PDB file of all heavy atoms in Angstrom:
ATOM      1  N   ASN A  15      91.188 114.256 122.156  1.00 91.00           N
ATOM      2  CA  ASN A  15      90.482 115.206 121.259  1.00 91.00           C
ATOM      3  C   ASN A  15      90.912 114.715 119.819  1.00 91.00           C
ATOM      4  O   ASN A  15      92.096 115.008 119.457  1.00 91.00           O
ATOM      5  CB  ASN A  15      90.967 116.579 121.551  1.00 91.00           C
ATOM      6  CG  ASN A  15      90.333 117.573 120.559  1.00 91.00           C
ATOM      7  OD1 ASN A  15      89.560 117.223 119.693  1.00 91.00           O
ATOM      8  ND2 ASN A  15      90.631 118.835 120.864  1.00 91.00           N
ATOM      9  N   ASP A  17      89.879 115.890 117.115  1.00 89.00           N
ATOM     10  CA  ASP A  17      89.787 117.070 116.179  1.00 89.00           C
ATOM     11  C   ASP A  17      90.882 118.110 116.519  1.00 89.00           C
ATOM     12  O   ASP A  17      90.731 119.234 116.198  1.00 89.00           O
ATOM     13  CB  ASP A  17      88.419 117.680 116.297  1.00 89.00           C
ATOM     14  CG  ASP A  17      87.302 116.809 115.861  1.00 89.00           C
ATOM     15  OD1 ASP A  17      87.560 116.015 114.877  1.00 89.00           O
ATOM     16  OD2 ASP A  17      86.223 116.847 116.444  1.00 89.00           O
ATOM     17  N   ALA A  18      91.966 117.661 117.181  1.00 89.00           N
ATOM     18  CA  ALA A  18      93.010 118.560 117.522  1.00 89.00           C
ATOM     19  C   ALA A  18      93.619 119.272 116.376  1.00 89.00           C
ATOM     20  O   ALA A  18      94.055 118.626 115.450  1.00 89.00           O
ATOM     21  CB  ALA A  18      94.080 117.840 118.354  1.00 89.00           C
ATOM     22  N   LYS A  19      93.681 120.617 116.484  1.00 88.00           N
ATOM     23  CA  LYS A  19      94.276 121.362 115.391  1.00 88.00           C
ATOM     24  C   LYS A  19      95.377 122.238 115.914  1.00 88.00           C
ATOM     25  O   LYS A  19      96.374 122.437 115.183  1.00 88.00           O
ATOM     26  CB  LYS A  19      93.185 122.335 114.759  1.00 88.00           C
ATOM     27  CG  LYS A  19      92.020 121.588 114.126  1.00 88.00           C
ATOM     28  CD  LYS A  19      92.376 120.991 112.812  1.00 88.00           C
ATOM     29  CE  LYS A  19      91.161 120.512 112.055  1.00 88.00           C
ATOM     30  NZ  LYS A  19      90.264 119.624 112.798  1.00 88.00           N
ATOM     31  N   THR A  20      95.287 122.741 117.116  1.00 89.00           N
ATOM     32  CA  THR A  20      96.305 123.608 117.716  1.00 89.00           C
ATOM     33  C   THR A  20      97.293 122.820 118.505  1.00 89.00           C
ATOM     34  O   THR A  20      97.056 121.677 118.867  1.00 89.00           O
ATOM     35  CB  THR A  20      95.624 124.684 118.616  1.00 89.00           C
ATOM     36  OG1 THR A  20      95.120 123.993 119.696  1.00 89.00           O
ATOM     37  CG2 THR A  20      94.520 125.441 117.845  1.00 89.00           C
ATOM     38  N   GLU A  21      98.512 123.443 118.750  1.00 88.00           N
ATOM     39  CA  GLU A  21      99.509 122.838 119.498  1.00 88.00           C
ATOM     40  C   GLU A  21      99.009 122.538 120.891  1.00 88.00           C
ATOM     41  O   GLU A  21      99.359 121.512 121.481  1.00 88.00           O
ATOM     42  CB  GLU A  21     100.793 123.696 119.561  1.00 88.00           C
ATOM     43  CG  GLU A  21     101.548 123.647 118.259  1.00 88.00           C
ATOM     44  CD  GLU A  21     102.923 124.258 118.415  1.00 88.00           C
ATOM     45  OE1 GLU A  21     103.336 124.500 119.574  1.00 88.00           O
ATOM     46  OE2 GLU A  21     103.662 124.469 117.362  1.00 88.00           O
ATOM     47  N   TYR A  22      98.201 123.447 121.467  1.00 88.00           N
ATOM     48  CA  TYR A  22      97.705 123.207 122.812  1.00 88.00           C
ATOM     49  C   TYR A  22      96.887 121.878 122.889  1.00 88.00           C
ATOM     50  O   TYR A  22      97.024 121.139 123.801  1.00 88.00           O
ATOM     51  CB  TYR A  22      96.817 124.445 123.248  1.00 88.00           C
ATOM     52  CG  TYR A  22      96.111 124.233 124.521  1.00 88.00           C
ATOM     53  CD1 TYR A  22      96.804 124.478 125.770  1.00 88.00           C
ATOM     54  CD2 TYR A  22      94.783 123.758 124.616  1.00 88.00           C
ATOM     55  CE1 TYR A  22      96.185 124.238 127.037  1.00 88.00           C
ATOM     56  CE2 TYR A  22      94.221 123.618 125.817  1.00 88.00           C
ATOM     57  CZ  TYR A  22      94.847 123.811 126.995  1.00 88.00           C
ATOM     58  OH  TYR A  22      94.246 123.623 128.254  1.00 88.00           O
ATOM     59  N   ASP A  23      95.940 121.732 121.928  1.00 89.00           N
ATOM     60  CA  ASP A  23      95.149 120.506 121.900  1.00 89.00           C
ATOM     61  C   ASP A  23      96.041 119.311 121.703  1.00 89.00           C
ATOM     62  O   ASP A  23      95.720 118.280 122.367  1.00 89.00           O
ATOM     63  CB  ASP A  23      94.096 120.607 120.810  1.00 89.00           C
ATOM     64  CG  ASP A  23      93.034 121.646 121.018  1.00 89.00           C
ATOM     65  OD1 ASP A  23      92.798 121.926 122.242  1.00 89.00           O
ATOM     66  OD2 ASP A  23      92.450 122.135 120.059  1.00 89.00           O
ATOM     67  N   MET A  24      97.027 119.350 120.875  1.00 91.00           N
ATOM     68  CA  MET A  24      97.881 118.234 120.662  1.00 91.00           C
ATOM     69  C   MET A  24      98.654 117.888 121.926  1.00 91.00           C
ATOM     70  O   MET A  24      98.898 116.716 122.262  1.00 91.00           O
ATOM     71  CB  MET A  24      98.865 118.532 119.547  1.00 91.00           C
ATOM     72  CG  MET A  24      98.170 118.701 118.118  1.00 91.00           C
ATOM     73  SD  MET A  24      99.392 119.209 116.908  1.00 91.00           S
ATOM     74  CE  MET A  24      98.323 119.664 115.569  1.00 91.00           C
ATOM     75  N   ILE A  25      99.100 118.897 122.666  1.00 91.00           N
ATOM     76  CA  ILE A  25      99.884 118.747 123.854  1.00 91.00           C
ATOM     77  C   ILE A  25      98.983 118.013 124.904  1.00 91.00           C
ATOM     78  O   ILE A  25      99.439 117.093 125.662  1.00 91.00           O
ATOM     79  CB  ILE A  25     100.348 120.040 124.462  1.00 91.00           C
ATOM     80  CG1 ILE A  25     101.535 120.597 123.546  1.00 91.00           C
ATOM     81  CG2 ILE A  25     100.879 119.886 125.849  1.00 91.00           C
ATOM     82  CD1 ILE A  25     102.003 121.963 123.895  1.00 91.00           C
ATOM     83  N   GLN A  26      97.702 118.377 125.001  1.00 92.00           N
ATOM     84  CA  GLN A  26      96.776 117.737 125.935  1.00 92.00           C
ATOM     85  C   GLN A  26      96.632 116.211 125.614  1.00 92.00           C
ATOM     86  O   GLN A  26      96.586 115.369 126.403  1.00 92.00           O
ATOM     87  CB  GLN A  26      95.370 118.371 125.877  1.00 92.00           C
ATOM     88  CG  GLN A  26      95.396 119.882 126.252  1.00 92.00           C
ATOM     89  CD  GLN A  26      96.136 120.136 127.534  1.00 92.00           C
ATOM     90  OE1 GLN A  26      95.889 119.568 128.578  1.00 92.00           O
ATOM     91  NE2 GLN A  26      97.071 121.028 127.542  1.00 92.00           N
ATOM     92  N   ASN A  27      96.597 115.922 124.278  1.00 92.00           N
ATOM     93  CA  ASN A  27      96.511 114.484 123.834  1.00 92.00           C
ATOM     94  C   ASN A  27      97.732 113.717 124.216  1.00 92.00           C
ATOM     95  O   ASN A  27      97.665 112.634 124.677  1.00 92.00           O
ATOM     96  CB  ASN A  27      96.243 114.411 122.319  1.00 92.00           C
ATOM     97  CG  ASN A  27      94.813 114.701 121.989  1.00 92.00           C
ATOM     98  OD1 ASN A  27      93.928 114.695 122.765  1.00 92.00           O
ATOM     99  ND2 ASN A  27      94.588 114.924 120.710  1.00 92.00           N
ATOM    100  N   TYR A  28      98.931 114.351 124.030  1.00 91.00           N
ATOM    101  CA  TYR A  28     100.167 113.656 124.364  1.00 91.00           C
ATOM    102  C   TYR A  28     100.270 113.448 125.853  1.00 91.00           C
ATOM    103  O   TYR A  28     100.896 112.564 126.332  1.00 91.00           O
ATOM    104  CB  TYR A  28     101.369 114.417 123.871  1.00 91.00           C
ATOM    105  CG  TYR A  28     101.637 114.174 122.388  1.00 91.00           C
ATOM    106  CD1 TYR A  28     101.676 115.167 121.462  1.00 91.00           C
ATOM    107  CD2 TYR A  28     101.995 112.842 121.913  1.00 91.00           C
ATOM    108  CE1 TYR A  28     101.847 114.989 120.138  1.00 91.00           C
ATOM    109  CE2 TYR A  28     102.262 112.644 120.604  1.00 91.00           C
ATOM    110  CZ  TYR A  28     102.186 113.634 119.707  1.00 91.00           C
ATOM    111  OH  TYR A  28     102.470 113.381 118.384  1.00 91.00           O
ATOM    112  N   VAL A  50     104.805 117.999 118.235  1.00 87.00           N
ATOM    113  CA  VAL A  50     103.728 118.907 117.858  1.00 87.00           C
ATOM    114  C   VAL A  50     104.132 119.822 116.757  1.00 87.00           C
ATOM    115  O   VAL A  50     103.241 120.415 116.159  1.00 87.00           O
ATOM    116  CB  VAL A  50     103.202 119.771 119.104  1.00 87.00           C
ATOM    117  CG1 VAL A  50     102.615 118.842 120.172  1.00 87.00           C
ATOM    118  CG2 VAL A  50     104.401 120.555 119.681  1.00 87.00           C
TER     119      VAL A  50
END
Side-chain angles (χ1 to χ4, degrees):
N15 182 358
D17 297 321
K19 298 287 191 304
T20 65
E21 286 192 9
Y22 174 80
D23 291 335
M24 296 175 192
I25 289 172
Q26 300 310 308
N27 281 345
Y28 278 118
V50 296

